[in-house]
Amino acid sequence: MSSRHADLAAGRWHVMSLMEQLGNAGSEVSRALRAREQGLADRERSALNRFLDLMDMTIADPRLRGRRKELCRVREIVCDYFVGENTFRSTPESLNRYFMPYAQAARRKMRAAHPSAQVDPPPAA
């Protein structure tokens, strides 16, 4: 398991809802897209690696056994866009369109649970 997310891999990730997991994974996709747009290859690769770590932990979540096909397809599509030949013809907009609702829903849930907490805005699309 990755050392980048050691606390999450220790079990905290599998307590989160699928919405929260995909919201967090999607944030890394947004970071990778912004880095690519700015020509920052190292940041793009780092964000992509964090996305892969988070998706792998999501795919391994025993609660989500029945959703693994969809989760593996999402992982495949993102990899195809960033390091493949983009055979799925993904765009930054299509990737953000998939993940953004999860991030927004997770943010609403966090605000409802902790109304006085400072919550950062979602990453720009």
Side-chain angles (χ1 to χ4, degrees):
M1 193 58 58
S2 168
S3 62
R4 286 185 291 259
H5 298 106
D7 62 326
L8 295 173
R12 199 167 64 101
W13 189 256
H14 293 170
V15 175
M16 292 181 180
S17 68
L18 176 60
M19 171 183 60
E20 292 169 311
Q21 291 175 346
L22 289 179
N24 282 297
S27 293
E28 297 301 343
V29 171
S30 290
R31 287 184 185 99
L33 290 169
R34 278 196 311 273
R36 176 175 277 195
E37 187 178 290
Q38 296 168 355
L40 303 171
D42 288 345
R43 286 188 185 186
E44 177 187 330
R45 183 58 53 129
S46 293
L48 180 61
N49 286 334
R50 289 189 302 271
F51 163 79
L52 293 173
D53 286 346
L54 297 176
M55 282 305 293
D56 288 346
M57 287 191 291
T58 300
I59 291 166
D61 189 332
R63 298 171 304 159
L64 304 173
R65 193 169 301 145
R67 308 215 42 192
R68 286 189 178 143
K69 185 175 179 181
E70 176 188 354
L71 296 170
C72 288
R73 180 54 62 106
V74 169
R75 186 185 193 283
E76 179 184 7
I77 289 170
V78 172
C79 286
D80 177 56
Y81 177 80
F82 282 104
V83 295
E85 296 179 11
N86 198 15
T87 56
F88 296 105
R89 300 181 188 264
S90 299
T91 64
E93 294 79 18
S94 69
L95 295 174
N96 277 320
R97 198 170 38 248
Y98 179 82
F99 286 107
M100 189 57 71
Y102 293 108
Q104 291 170 336
R107 188 163 310 279
R108 281 193 301 273
K109 180 180 175 186
M110 171 99 60
R111 284 185 180 141
H114 308 285
S116 62
Q118 176 80 21
V119 179
D120 295 332

